[in-house]
Amino acid sequence: MFKAIVAAVASFLHIQAATAGWTSDATYTNAKPATLAADPYVRWDAKTGQYWAYSTDGAEDGWLFGIYTSPDLATWHKQPGGAIRNSNESRIWANDWFWAPECYYNEKTGWYFFFYAGRYTDPQKVAAYFKYPDFEEASKVGVAVSRSPGGPFINIDQKPIDYFPFDPDYRDVNLLMSPPYLVPPATLVEGNTAPLGTYIPFIDPNVFFDDDGSIWLFFSRNAYRNWVWSAEFARYVEESNIYAVRLDDAWWRDPHARTMPAVHASFRDAHKGEPKDWQTSVNASFPGPTRKDGWVPVISYKLGPQVWENAHVYDYEASQGTRKNRRWSEGSTTIKRRDSAGNAVYFLTYSANNFESPDYGVGYAYASKVSGPYTKSPSNPILSQDPSKSIYSTGHGSIVAAQGKESGNAELFYTHHARPSTSAGRYLYNARLFVEPDSLYVGFGPSAGDLRLPRGVAPFSIAAKPSSASAWDVTVRSASGAEFDLANPGNRLLAWVEGATGAQVSVQGSTVHVSGATGSNAKLYVRYQRARWNETEPWANVSQSSGIGAKAQFVQTVLPLSRHQKRGELEEEL
Ligand SMILES: *[C@@H]1O[C@H](CO)[C@@H](O)[C@H](O)[C@H]1NC(C)=O
Ligand SMILES: *[C@@H]1O[C@H](CO)[C@@H](O)[C@H](O)[C@H]1NC(C)=O
Ligand SMILES: *[C@@H]1O[C@H](CO)[C@@H](O)[C@H](O)[C@H]1NC(C)=O
Ligand SMILES: *[C@@H]1O[C@H](CO)[C@@H](O)[C@H](O)[C@H]1NC(C)=O
């Protein structure tokens, strides 16, 4: 008995040691994107041993927000349904514009929190949050919860988070304009006749959990209701900006996840009494909000103008008067690092311009305090289109560490959307992200070519079981047991028969069909392959080894084909 336990422990240790040293030559390429998804947010989920992506689009009828899973951050499998059932049982509060979801897991309580933007169109509700019943872009952020990363997520409450961001210094030039609000005042003098103050509609939530326990919500102020006078271009330009606010933490600590996030006391009603003579409503039938909360500016043009952000300042002329002159900064993600002196460095990535523009891309800024001020990198944009690699519209991604291992020499990825042509939809792409705190540099590896998989995916395992007299169902799994989608064009099985002549073998996704193979020594070989960038030789056989110098072995299984053995055990080469 004692001996048996020692042996079991020893072999467990052996497996642990071997797992730690596994290497694989498997790669992925962004050149053949297969999964449509916009505004992806990705997290590693330790419980299920795989990466989960959430997107604005991709939900089936009756659902909101698409969900995808992946063992390797590169080949994705679309989950059925979506994140939130679009029905009353989910406590839906918004009417439309369900955008840019993110999901965070609380290890202590076991709850998954799903943040997303949505818009009110019901005039009564619009007025209750923005004063004017006809306020056009009445976007707010809601939070839904689930016990599972795959949902369904249910809104904590049938309303958005308790936050009324207010800008007391803004000249509300929309009040001087008429729908469709394309033509702002021609001069600053005229714009300055507009009344002061507006509520801020906001989208693109990104919650940052600082290591001192404080929780911050980064968000994008919708462009609407934010015409900014540009002396440089002698015109008003409608801007979206990135701001931040501290949240309280009662919602995060609630073991039952029934508490909605609320703005931290230090920001609550920070603009009370501003501006003077503020009327809370325009019409007694439509009461407006009474709170005026604060925020800190993070990214805007005037806080460090950069030329690449100006792609759309002449859109009104260029579109013959059908589009506004605009500047976007949206879709931010924040991470924290320490430089070699131990000082905190906060990095924030964001997208600028419209995804249809050649100048659409991702920039970053850094700060020594979470609340800023943030300095834009002179190397912006750090990710943008590359026609030589057929990658366009690169933007709005999120940062994820390999297997969620944030500390030490974390291996980081920026999973983002992009398009393989200027007319295609937005697909999932995956870029390496390098952070060097001392030189304050964030860079991306090549977005095309053959890229190494994130750490921890190997060793792979492969298994097959007969599904009929002439077919096998094959599964390939990552080290953490997550299954590869063999119907994804990034993955393939190669199958052949040895020891028999005249065998016919065909592969469809995870199914291998064999006919005409006779002979007691006939064997079916099934090998796992990955798509490569190389057009001449588009597939690579995946091999792996358990340490430096160890003989690499292919990820494959060998199945005896003789009838009496066929339904029995199979022998794995690994
Ligand atoms: C939700 O409930 C309201 C009334 O409470 C009803 O009018 C509406 O049809 C319901 N919506 C759905 C999707 O069931
Ligand atoms: C207030 O709104 C109601 C409903 O739309 C409208 O009938 C009424 O004329 C409005 N009153 C004023 C003073 O604008
Ligand atoms: C593609 O593969 C072929 C055959 O292995 C090789 O000769 C060629 O150099 C590769 N091309 C690139 C761009 O890697
Ligand atoms: C993959 O393995 C198969 C079977 O051994 C072989 O025929 C093929 O040439 C290999 N492909 C590459 C790219 O090495």
Side-chain angles (χ1 to χ4, degrees):
M1 182 64 178
F2 180 64
K3 262 189 188 162
I5 290 172
V6 171
V9 169
S11 79
F12 175 73
L13 289 176
H14 173 76
I15 290 166
Q16 289 293 92
T19 304
W22 277 91
T23 58
S24 161
D25 62 1
T27 57
Y28 71 93
T29 173
N30 283 313
K32 298 160 188 169
T35 306
L36 280 164
D39 311 326
Y41 177 81
V42 175
R43 60 174 295 278
W44 164 260
D45 187 64
K47 281 211 297 196
T48 54
Q50 58 190 342
Y51 298 92
W52 290 74
Y54 304 89
S55 103
T56 293
D57 53 6
E60 287 169 14
D61 277 358
W63 292 83
L64 302 167
F65 305 111
I67 304 186
Y68 313 81
T69 50
S70 173
D72 60 1
L73 270 180
T75 58
W76 294 93
H77 176 75
K78 190 159 151 23
Q79 297 291 321
I84 302 179
R85 212 176 253 120
N86 195 2
S87 67
N88 283 335
E89 68 193 279
S90 305
R91 304 193 190 106
I92 302 292
W93 55 270
N95 301 98
D96 59 8
W97 292 9
F98 293 94
W99 292 342
E102 300 212 349
C103 181
Y104 318 103
Y105 177 60
N106 186 322
E107 281 177 15
K108 288 199 178 115
T109 64
W111 286 99
Y112 292 84
F113 291 83
F114 192 84
F115 281 63
Y116 62 94
R119 179 176 78 151
Y120 276 125
T121 56
D122 164 18
Q124 205 73 41
K125 289 278 171 46
V126 172
Y129 286 98
F130 297 95
K131 174 174 168 175
Y132 301 93
D134 61 349
F135 196 103
E136 187 190 352
E137 257 177 65
S139 297
K140 302 287 285 182
V141 164
V143 187
V145 293
S146 175
R147 280 290 189 193
S148 155
F153 291 87
I154 311 277
N155 283 297
I156 297 173
D157 205 348
Q158 196 159 6
K159 56 185 181 192
I161 65 173
D162 182 32
Y163 182 35
F164 295 85
F166 187 81
D167 186 347
D169 301 320
Y170 177 70
R171 289 280 174 190
D172 197 353
V173 298
N174 270 69
L175 298 177
L176 308 177
M177 298 164 63
S178 4
Y181 304 107
L182 293 171
V183 187
T187 65
L188 179 62
V189 171
E190 191 190 342
N192 278 344
T193 65
L196 275 175
T198 185
Y199 281 95
I200 298 173
F202 63 108
I203 57 173
D204 293 357
N206 174 244
V207 179
F208 176 72
F209 298 86
D210 209 344
D211 47 21
D212 65 358
S214 64
I215 303 175
W216 290 79
L217 173 69
F218 287 81
F219 60 89
S220 305
R221 173 182 187 159
N222 282 32
Y224 182 81
R225 230 73 178 196
N226 196 29
W227 289 95
V228 177
W229 177 257
S230 170
E232 185 184 351
F233 294 95
R235 62 186 54 213
Y236 274 97
V237 175
E238 208 196 48
E239 276 191 24
S240 59
N241 304 140
I242 295 168
Y243 296 162
V245 66
R246 188 172 168 186
L247 298 180
D248 74 347
D249 63 359
W251 64 281
W252 187 243
R253 288 186 287 106
D254 180 357
H256 307 292
R258 291 196 198 121
T259 311
M260 276 294 279
V263 60
H264 188 262
S266 56
F267 285 88
R268 195 182 156 94
D269 227 0
H271 296 297
K272 187 182 173 136
E274 303 171 40
K276 280 201 190 75
D277 309 323
W278 177 258
Q279 304 293 314
T280 58
S281 69
V282 276
N283 180 326
S285 326
F286 296 100
T290 53
R291 282 243 310 277
K292 299 198 201 91
D293 297 333
W295 41 277
V296 289
V298 173
I299 299 289
S300 70
Y301 186 67
K302 83 171 177 215
L303 294 173
Q306 294 194 325
V307 172
W308 71 291
E309 298 171 341
N310 286 324
H312 298 279
V313 297
Y314 290 111
D315 267 17
Y316 184 76
E317 290 94 323
S319 69
Q320 270 92 48
T322 60
R323 292 185 174 200
K324 303 180 196 186
N325 295 329
R326 271 186 159 160
R327 271 189 208 110
W328 282 271
S329 45
E330 298 181 337
S332 71
T333 303
T334 308
I335 58 165
K336 183 182 190 175
R337 288 291 177 270
R338 293 203 177 266
D339 64 18
S340 57
N343 301 312
V345 188
Y346 296 84
F347 290 99
L348 176 135
T349 58
Y350 64 97
S351 295
N353 300 315
N354 178 296
F355 78 95
E356 295 156 312
S357 158
D359 294 316
Y360 177 69
V362 177
Y364 82 95
Y366 55 88
S368 56
K369 281 168 53 185
V370 65
S371 56
Y374 283 80
T375 304
K376 291 177 189 171
S377 165
S379 29
N380 288 343
I382 51 169
L383 181 67
S384 55
Q385 74 170 33
D386 184 346
S388 75
K389 291 170 178 167
S390 300
I391 293 182
Y392 304 87
S393 313
T394 49
H396 199 137
S398 61
I399 299 169
V400 62
Q403 301 211 305
K405 291 183 179 126
E406 260 290 348
S407 56
N409 59 341
E411 186 180 47
L412 298 177
F413 291 84
Y414 186 74
T415 308
H416 59 95
H417 65 221
R419 303 192 293 169
S421 76
T422 52
S423 58
R426 284 174 283 178
Y427 287 83
L428 284 177
Y429 284 69
N430 196 36
R432 273 294 297 279
L433 176 70
F434 301 98
V435 183
E436 292 167 22
D438 278 320
S439 55
L440 299 178
Y441 171 75
V442 176
F444 288 89
S447 287
D450 292 312
L451 303 163
R452 199 164 49 75
L453 293 191
R455 275 201 291 264
V457 180
F460 301 80
S461 61
I462 185 167
K465 62 173 196 293
S467 56
S468 76
S470 61
W472 281 259
D473 268 347
V474 180
T475 47
V476 178
R477 292 180 190 278
S478 67
S480 51
E483 201 174 320
F484 286 85
D485 182 345
L486 296 172
N488 183 299
N491 297 311
R492 194 175 81 162
L493 296 176
L494 177 71
W496 71 95
V497 166
E498 289 182 12
T501 49
Q504 286 176 328
V505 184
S506 68
V507 178
Q508 279 172 304
S510 60
T511 309
V512 178
H513 298 270
V514 182
S515 59
T518 51
S520 58
N521 292 326
K523 281 184 177 163
L524 171 64
Y525 286 75
V526 182
R527 189 173 280 189
Y528 174 50
Q529 296 188 314
R530 298 280 299 198
R532 288 207 304 181
W533 182 45
N534 193 323
E535 291 297 340
T536 318
E537 213 163 293
W539 293 94
N541 296 310
V542 174
S543 69
Q544 57 190 1
S545 66
S546 59
I548 312 270
K551 189 165 166 264
Q553 296 193 318
F554 291 113
V555 177
Q556 71 176 23
T557 180
V558 185
L559 301 150
L561 274 179
S562 63
R563 277 196 184 284
H564 64 280
Q565 285 177 321
K566 191 153 74 182
R567 286 179 185 280
E569 351 81 273
L570 52 96
E571 168 198 328
E572 278 183 34
E573 201 160 283
L574 282 161

